[in-house]
Amino acid sequence: MSAQLRPDAPGRTDVELLLPAALADVVDGRRLLSLRPGAEPGRRDAGAAESTVADVLALLQADYPGVYRRVCDETGNLRRYVNLYLDGEDIRDLDGMSTVLPDRAELLVLQSIAGG
């Protein structure tokens, strides 16, 4: 099931993932992905689960593997040159991948650019 079509349910958080132009080509030119991470389907305590940055990345891996591979390395961690900002704050300054997402969260993906 596509991340954009997951049914509304208590405990689910809507997340807008904003992509840089360099990643938009992987998703047909889209710069905004609307995701709804949450507890695993079928779990009875789905309403009690809090969504985290790791949940969003798991959705990316399943539904948008091309974006995921450019954001995360083979160990599942953010690539060194990729920064994720939750509502304007770097997740590395929060709880990293364990950062709990507020409802209607905005995650901005920024890739560092090297030059000289």
Side-chain angles (χ1 to χ4, degrees), residues 3-114:
Q4 295 173 334
L5 300 177
R6 295 188 192 277
D8 289 327
R12 301 270 169 115
T13 303
D14 290 334
V15 178
E16 289 189 340
L17 185 67
L18 304 165
L19 301 174
L23 292 180
D25 65 330
V26 180
V27 286
D28 300 321
R30 290 182 292 169
R31 301 275 310 267
L32 175 67
L33 299 177
S34 295
L35 304 170
R36 189 165 295 140
E40 296 175 22
R43 280 184 46 186
R44 292 186 184 273
D45 63 344
E50 292 181 314
S51 298
T52 65
V53 171
D55 295 327
V56 170
L57 295 177
L59 277 180
L60 275 182
Q61 186 176 23
D63 294 341
Y64 303 102
V67 174
Y68 177 82
R69 284 190 301 272
R70 294 170 96 184
V71 170
C72 294
D73 63 21
E74 50 284 335
T75 66
N77 291 314
L78 285 180
R79 293 189 179 277
R80 285 185 345 169
Y81 60 85
V82 173
N83 298 302
L84 275 182
Y85 291 87
L86 172 61
D87 296 332
E89 291 193 55
D90 191 331
I91 65 159
R92 290 180 175 110
D93 295 335
L94 300 170
D95 289 327
M97 300 285 216
S98 298
T99 301
V100 175
L101 302 172
D103 195 31
R104 302 201 192 328
E106 180 181 275
L107 271 177
L108 172 65
V109 177
L110 285 181
Q111 296 174 304
S112 300
I113 299 174

